[in-house]
PDB file of all heavy atoms in Angstrom:
ATOM      1  N   SER C 276      44.328 126.428  34.622  1.00  0.00           N
ATOM      2  CA  SER C 276      43.899 127.819  34.432  1.00  0.00           C
ATOM      3  C   SER C 276      42.380 127.904  34.315  1.00  0.00           C
ATOM      4  O   SER C 276      41.755 128.794  34.897  1.00  0.00           O
ATOM      5  CB  SER C 276      44.553 128.412  33.181  1.00  0.00           C
ATOM      6  OG  SER C 276      44.179 127.711  32.018  1.00  0.00           O
ATOM      7  N   VAL C 277      41.766 126.969  33.577  1.00  0.00           N
ATOM      8  CA  VAL C 277      40.310 126.984  33.431  1.00  0.00           C
ATOM      9  C   VAL C 277      39.629 126.662  34.753  1.00  0.00           C
ATOM     10  O   VAL C 277      38.647 127.290  35.142  1.00  0.00           O
ATOM     11  CB  VAL C 277      39.863 125.990  32.334  1.00  0.00           C
ATOM     12  CG1 VAL C 277      38.349 125.813  32.348  1.00  0.00           C
ATOM     13  CG2 VAL C 277      40.326 126.465  30.973  1.00  0.00           C
ATOM     14  N   THR C 278      40.159 125.663  35.469  1.00  0.00           N
ATOM     15  CA  THR C 278      39.564 125.279  36.746  1.00  0.00           C
ATOM     16  C   THR C 278      39.625 126.434  37.735  1.00  0.00           C
ATOM     17  O   THR C 278      38.644 126.753  38.420  1.00  0.00           O
ATOM     18  CB  THR C 278      40.291 124.051  37.331  1.00  0.00           C
ATOM     19  OG1 THR C 278      40.190 122.969  36.402  1.00  0.00           O
ATOM     20  CG2 THR C 278      39.661 123.634  38.650  1.00  0.00           C
ATOM     21  N   LYS C 279      40.768 127.119  37.813  1.00  0.00           N
ATOM     22  CA  LYS C 279      40.916 128.243  38.725  1.00  0.00           C
ATOM     23  C   LYS C 279      39.988 129.388  38.330  1.00  0.00           C
ATOM     24  O   LYS C 279      39.361 130.026  39.171  1.00  0.00           O
ATOM     25  CB  LYS C 279      42.371 128.727  38.718  1.00  0.00           C
ATOM     26  CG  LYS C 279      42.641 129.854  39.709  1.00  0.00           C
ATOM     27  CD  LYS C 279      44.115 130.214  39.721  1.00  0.00           C
ATOM     28  CE  LYS C 279      44.386 131.339  40.708  1.00  0.00           C
ATOM     29  NZ  LYS C 279      45.825 131.710  40.725  1.00  0.00           N
ATOM     30  N   LEU C 280      39.883 129.643  37.013  1.00  0.00           N
ATOM     31  CA  LEU C 280      39.060 130.736  36.517  1.00  0.00           C
ATOM     32  C   LEU C 280      37.596 130.529  36.884  1.00  0.00           C
ATOM     33  O   LEU C 280      36.887 131.467  37.251  1.00  0.00           O
ATOM     34  CB  LEU C 280      39.197 130.827  34.991  1.00  0.00           C
ATOM     35  CG  LEU C 280      38.547 132.016  34.289  1.00  0.00           C
ATOM     36  CD1 LEU C 280      39.221 133.319  34.717  1.00  0.00           C
ATOM     37  CD2 LEU C 280      38.646 131.855  32.784  1.00  0.00           C
ATOM     38  N   ASN C 281      37.131 129.270  36.815  1.00  0.00           N
ATOM     39  CA  ASN C 281      35.716 128.989  37.029  1.00  0.00           C
ATOM     40  C   ASN C 281      35.368 128.585  38.459  1.00  0.00           C
ATOM     41  O   ASN C 281      34.194 128.377  38.762  1.00  0.00           O
ATOM     42  CB  ASN C 281      35.260 127.879  36.078  1.00  0.00           C
ATOM     43  CG  ASN C 281      35.157 128.352  34.658  1.00  0.00           C
ATOM     44  OD1 ASN C 281      34.180 128.981  34.285  1.00  0.00           O
ATOM     45  ND2 ASN C 281      36.170 128.062  33.863  1.00  0.00           N
ATOM     46  N   GLN C 282      36.345 128.504  39.324  1.00  0.00           N
ATOM     47  CA  GLN C 282      36.105 127.993  40.668  1.00  0.00           C
ATOM     48  C   GLN C 282      35.056 128.800  41.424  1.00  0.00           C
ATOM     49  O   GLN C 282      34.110 128.242  41.985  1.00  0.00           O
ATOM     50  CB  GLN C 282      37.406 127.967  41.469  1.00  0.00           C
ATOM     51  CG  GLN C 282      37.248 127.333  42.849  1.00  0.00           C
ATOM     52  CD  GLN C 282      38.577 127.239  43.574  1.00  0.00           C
ATOM     53  OE1 GLN C 282      39.428 128.110  43.424  1.00  0.00           O
ATOM     54  NE2 GLN C 282      38.753 126.195  44.353  1.00  0.00           N
ATOM     55  N   ASN C 283      35.183 130.117  41.400  1.00  0.00           N
ATOM     56  CA  ASN C 283      34.249 130.943  42.160  1.00  0.00           C
ATOM     57  C   ASN C 283      32.836 130.890  41.601  1.00  0.00           C
ATOM     58  O   ASN C 283      31.865 130.822  42.355  1.00  0.00           O
ATOM     59  CB  ASN C 283      34.735 132.399  42.193  1.00  0.00           C
ATOM     60  CG  ASN C 283      35.962 132.574  43.053  1.00  0.00           C
ATOM     61  OD1 ASN C 283      36.207 131.785  43.960  1.00  0.00           O
ATOM     62  ND2 ASN C 283      36.733 133.609  42.786  1.00  0.00           N
ATOM     63  N   VAL C 284      32.714 130.910  40.278  1.00  0.00           N
ATOM     64  CA  VAL C 284      31.380 130.878  39.688  1.00  0.00           C
ATOM     65  C   VAL C 284      30.731 129.512  39.906  1.00  0.00           C
ATOM     66  O   VAL C 284      29.518 129.415  40.129  1.00  0.00           O
ATOM     67  CB  VAL C 284      31.426 131.250  38.185  1.00  0.00           C
ATOM     68  CG1 VAL C 284      31.970 130.134  37.334  1.00  0.00           C
ATOM     69  CG2 VAL C 284      30.051 131.671  37.695  1.00  0.00           C
ATOM     70  N   GLN C 285      31.509 128.446  39.893  1.00  0.00           N
ATOM     71  CA  GLN C 285      30.947 127.128  40.168  1.00  0.00           C
ATOM     72  C   GLN C 285      30.527 127.001  41.626  1.00  0.00           C
ATOM     73  O   GLN C 285      29.507 126.369  41.941  1.00  0.00           O
ATOM     74  CB  GLN C 285      31.969 126.038  39.815  1.00  0.00           C
ATOM     75  CG  GLN C 285      32.215 125.860  38.339  1.00  0.00           C
ATOM     76  CD  GLN C 285      31.023 125.279  37.604  1.00  0.00           C
ATOM     77  OE1 GLN C 285      30.096 124.777  38.223  1.00  0.00           O
ATOM     78  NE2 GLN C 285      31.027 125.358  36.285  1.00  0.00           N
ATOM     79  N   TRP C 328      26.815 129.451  27.965  1.00  0.00           N
ATOM     80  CA  TRP C 328      27.309 129.893  29.277  1.00  0.00           C
ATOM     81  C   TRP C 328      26.308 130.836  29.940  1.00  0.00           C
ATOM     82  O   TRP C 328      25.986 130.693  31.115  1.00  0.00           O
ATOM     83  CB  TRP C 328      28.651 130.596  29.115  1.00  0.00           C
ATOM     84  CG  TRP C 328      29.823 129.672  29.026  1.00  0.00           C
ATOM     85  CD1 TRP C 328      29.887 128.346  29.381  1.00  0.00           C
ATOM     86  CD2 TRP C 328      31.130 130.013  28.554  1.00  0.00           C
ATOM     87  NE1 TRP C 328      31.142 127.841  29.147  1.00  0.00           N
ATOM     88  CE2 TRP C 328      31.931 128.836  28.653  1.00  0.00           C
ATOM     89  CE3 TRP C 328      31.706 131.178  28.061  1.00  0.00           C
ATOM     90  CZ2 TRP C 328      33.268 128.826  28.279  1.00  0.00           C
ATOM     91  CZ3 TRP C 328      33.049 131.164  27.695  1.00  0.00           C
ATOM     92  CH2 TRP C 328      33.814 129.999  27.798  1.00  0.00           C
ATOM     93  N   LEU C 335      22.396 133.089  38.223  1.00  0.00           N
ATOM     94  CA  LEU C 335      23.449 132.949  39.229  1.00  0.00           C
ATOM     95  C   LEU C 335      23.318 133.986  40.344  1.00  0.00           C
ATOM     96  O   LEU C 335      23.601 133.708  41.507  1.00  0.00           O
ATOM     97  CB  LEU C 335      24.823 133.082  38.567  1.00  0.00           C
ATOM     98  CG  LEU C 335      26.030 132.802  39.468  1.00  0.00           C
ATOM     99  CD1 LEU C 335      26.078 131.322  39.825  1.00  0.00           C
ATOM    100  CD2 LEU C 335      27.321 133.222  38.772  1.00  0.00           C
ATOM    101  N   GLY C 366      25.539 138.912  39.918  1.00  0.00           N
ATOM    102  CA  GLY C 366      26.631 137.998  39.587  1.00  0.00           C
ATOM    103  C   GLY C 366      27.630 138.566  38.597  1.00  0.00           C
ATOM    104  O   GLY C 366      28.454 137.829  38.061  1.00  0.00           O
ATOM    105  N   LYS C 367      27.584 139.873  38.358  1.00  0.00           N
ATOM    106  CA  LYS C 367      28.393 140.468  37.289  1.00  0.00           C
ATOM    107  C   LYS C 367      29.875 140.141  37.402  1.00  0.00           C
ATOM    108  O   LYS C 367      30.487 139.646  36.445  1.00  0.00           O
ATOM    109  CB  LYS C 367      28.204 141.983  37.250  1.00  0.00           C
ATOM    110  CG  LYS C 367      29.070 142.642  36.176  1.00  0.00           C
ATOM    111  CD  LYS C 367      28.865 144.141  36.090  1.00  0.00           C
ATOM    112  CE  LYS C 367      29.743 144.740  34.995  1.00  0.00           C
ATOM    113  NZ  LYS C 367      29.559 146.198  34.866  1.00  0.00           N
ATOM    114  N   ASP C 368      30.486 140.430  38.539  1.00  0.00           N
ATOM    115  CA  ASP C 368      31.931 140.233  38.668  1.00  0.00           C
ATOM    116  C   ASP C 368      32.319 138.784  38.434  1.00  0.00           C
ATOM    117  O   ASP C 368      33.321 138.501  37.759  1.00  0.00           O
ATOM    118  CB  ASP C 368      32.406 140.702  40.048  1.00  0.00           C
ATOM    119  CG  ASP C 368      32.360 142.214  40.201  1.00  0.00           C
ATOM    120  OD1 ASP C 368      32.243 142.909  39.166  1.00  0.00           O
ATOM    121  OD2 ASP C 368      32.417 142.702  41.341  1.00  0.00           O
ATOM    122  N   LEU C 369      31.543 137.860  38.983  1.00  0.00           N
ATOM    123  CA  LEU C 369      31.847 136.443  38.800  1.00  0.00           C
ATOM    124  C   LEU C 369      31.775 136.050  37.330  1.00  0.00           C
ATOM    125  O   LEU C 369      32.663 135.383  36.807  1.00  0.00           O
ATOM    126  CB  LEU C 369      30.867 135.589  39.598  1.00  0.00           C
ATOM    127  CG  LEU C 369      31.105 135.455  41.103  1.00  0.00           C
ATOM    128  CD1 LEU C 369      29.983 134.657  41.741  1.00  0.00           C
ATOM    129  CD2 LEU C 369      32.447 134.798  41.381  1.00  0.00           C
ATOM    130  N   ILE C 370      30.713 136.471  36.663  1.00  0.00           N
ATOM    131  CA  ILE C 370      30.510 136.068  35.267  1.00  0.00           C
ATOM    132  C   ILE C 370      31.550 136.701  34.346  1.00  0.00           C
ATOM    133  O   ILE C 370      32.110 136.037  33.469  1.00  0.00           O
ATOM    134  CB  ILE C 370      29.084 136.424  34.818  1.00  0.00           C
ATOM    135  CG1 ILE C 370      28.076 135.533  35.553  1.00  0.00           C
ATOM    136  CG2 ILE C 370      28.920 136.245  33.304  1.00  0.00           C
ATOM    137  CD1 ILE C 370      26.632 135.919  35.336  1.00  0.00           C
ATOM    138  N   VAL C 371      31.832 137.979  34.538  1.00  0.00           N
ATOM    139  CA  VAL C 371      32.823 138.652  33.697  1.00  0.00           C
ATOM    140  C   VAL C 371      34.196 138.032  33.889  1.00  0.00           C
ATOM    141  O   VAL C 371      34.936 137.782  32.925  1.00  0.00           O
ATOM    142  CB  VAL C 371      32.863 140.166  33.994  1.00  0.00           C
ATOM    143  CG1 VAL C 371      34.043 140.820  33.279  1.00  0.00           C
ATOM    144  CG2 VAL C 371      31.560 140.822  33.539  1.00  0.00           C
ATOM    145  N   ASN C 372      34.575 137.758  35.131  1.00  0.00           N
ATOM    146  CA  ASN C 372      35.904 137.202  35.404  1.00  0.00           C
ATOM    147  C   ASN C 372      36.037 135.761  34.926  1.00  0.00           C
ATOM    148  O   ASN C 372      37.095 135.358  34.438  1.00  0.00           O
ATOM    149  CB  ASN C 372      36.210 137.282  36.902  1.00  0.00           C
ATOM    150  CG  ASN C 372      36.435 138.704  37.368  1.00  0.00           C
ATOM    151  OD1 ASN C 372      36.833 139.563  36.593  1.00  0.00           O
ATOM    152  ND2 ASN C 372      36.164 138.968  38.633  1.00  0.00           N
ATOM    153  N   ALA C 373      34.972 134.983  35.059  1.00  0.00           N
ATOM    154  CA  ALA C 373      35.046 133.578  34.665  1.00  0.00           C
ATOM    155  C   ALA C 373      34.857 133.399  33.166  1.00  0.00           C
ATOM    156  O   ALA C 373      35.420 132.479  32.574  1.00  0.00           O
ATOM    157  CB  ALA C 373      33.992 132.764  35.420  1.00  0.00           C
ATOM    158  N   PHE C 374      34.059 134.277  32.548  1.00  0.00           N
ATOM    159  CA  PHE C 374      33.757 134.153  31.128  1.00  0.00           C
ATOM    160  C   PHE C 374      34.174 135.427  30.390  1.00  0.00           C
ATOM    161  O   PHE C 374      35.329 135.592  30.082  1.00  0.00           O
ATOM    162  CB  PHE C 374      32.276 133.818  30.933  1.00  0.00           C
ATOM    163  CG  PHE C 374      31.853 132.612  31.721  1.00  0.00           C
ATOM    164  CD1 PHE C 374      30.974 132.738  32.789  1.00  0.00           C
ATOM    165  CD2 PHE C 374      32.360 131.364  31.429  1.00  0.00           C
ATOM    166  CE1 PHE C 374      30.604 131.625  33.534  1.00  0.00           C
ATOM    167  CE2 PHE C 374      31.993 130.243  32.156  1.00  0.00           C
ATOM    168  CZ  PHE C 374      31.114 130.378  33.216  1.00  0.00           C
ATOM    169  N   ASN C 375      33.221 136.314  30.126  1.00  0.00           N
ATOM    170  CA  ASN C 375      33.572 137.575  29.477  1.00  0.00           C
ATOM    171  C   ASN C 375      32.395 138.546  29.579  1.00  0.00           C
ATOM    172  O   ASN C 375      31.310 138.182  30.032  1.00  0.00           O
ATOM    173  CB  ASN C 375      33.979 137.349  28.011  1.00  0.00           C
ATOM    174  CG  ASN C 375      32.913 136.613  27.215  1.00  0.00           C
ATOM    175  OD1 ASN C 375      31.781 137.087  27.079  1.00  0.00           O
ATOM    176  ND2 ASN C 375      33.273 135.445  26.681  1.00  0.00           N
ATOM    177  N   GLU C 376      32.612 139.770  29.135  1.00  0.00           N
ATOM    178  CA  GLU C 376      31.598 140.820  29.218  1.00  0.00           C
ATOM    179  C   GLU C 376      30.377 140.488  28.357  1.00  0.00           C
ATOM    180  O   GLU C 376      29.242 140.813  28.729  1.00  0.00           O
ATOM    181  CB  GLU C 376      32.204 142.154  28.764  1.00  0.00           C
ATOM    182  CG  GLU C 376      31.347 143.366  29.090  1.00  0.00           C
ATOM    183  CD  GLU C 376      31.531 143.870  30.508  1.00  0.00           C
ATOM    184  OE1 GLU C 376      32.636 143.741  31.052  1.00  0.00           O
ATOM    185  OE2 GLU C 376      30.541 144.387  31.068  1.00  0.00           O
ATOM    186  N   ASP C 377      30.598 139.839  27.219  1.00  0.00           N
ATOM    187  CA  ASP C 377      29.475 139.490  26.343  1.00  0.00           C
ATOM    188  C   ASP C 377      28.507 138.545  27.041  1.00  0.00           C
ATOM    189  O   ASP C 377      27.285 138.669  26.898  1.00  0.00           O
ATOM    190  CB  ASP C 377      29.978 138.853  25.045  1.00  0.00           C
ATOM    191  CG  ASP C 377      30.695 139.842  24.150  1.00  0.00           C
ATOM    192  OD1 ASP C 377      30.444 141.060  24.287  1.00  0.00           O
ATOM    193  OD2 ASP C 377      31.510 139.406  23.314  1.00  0.00           O
ATOM    194  N   VAL C 378      29.042 137.580  27.773  1.00  0.00           N
ATOM    195  CA  VAL C 378      28.188 136.649  28.512  1.00  0.00           C
ATOM    196  C   VAL C 378      27.365 137.401  29.554  1.00  0.00           C
ATOM    197  O   VAL C 378      26.158 137.190  29.686  1.00  0.00           O
ATOM    198  CB  VAL C 378      29.029 135.543  29.187  1.00  0.00           C
ATOM    199  CG1 VAL C 378      28.166 134.691  30.125  1.00  0.00           C
ATOM    200  CG2 VAL C 378      29.680 134.655  28.128  1.00  0.00           C
ATOM    201  N   PHE C 379      28.007 138.322  30.267  1.00  0.00           N
ATOM    202  CA  PHE C 379      27.251 139.079  31.272  1.00  0.00           C
ATOM    203  C   PHE C 379      26.174 139.935  30.632  1.00  0.00           C
ATOM    204  O   PHE C 379      25.059 140.041  31.170  1.00  0.00           O
ATOM    205  CB  PHE C 379      28.169 139.970  32.111  1.00  0.00           C
ATOM    206  CG  PHE C 379      27.383 140.889  33.001  1.00  0.00           C
ATOM    207  CD1 PHE C 379      26.685 140.393  34.094  1.00  0.00           C
ATOM    208  CD2 PHE C 379      27.284 142.246  32.712  1.00  0.00           C
ATOM    209  CE1 PHE C 379      25.917 141.224  34.891  1.00  0.00           C
ATOM    210  CE2 PHE C 379      26.517 143.086  33.512  1.00  0.00           C
ATOM    211  CZ  PHE C 379      25.829 142.573  34.606  1.00  0.00           C
TER     212      PHE C 379
END
Side-chain angles (χ1 to χ4, degrees):
S276 62
V277 170
T278 301
K279 183 176 180 180
L280 187 65
N281 287 280
Q282 185 176 34
N283 289 335
V284 75
Q285 289 291 346
W328 278 343
L335 187 69
K367 178 178 181 179
D368 289 345
L369 281 176
I370 291 172
V371 171
N372 290 334
F374 306 112
N375 55 60
E376 193 83 32
D377 290 337
V378 172
F379 172 71

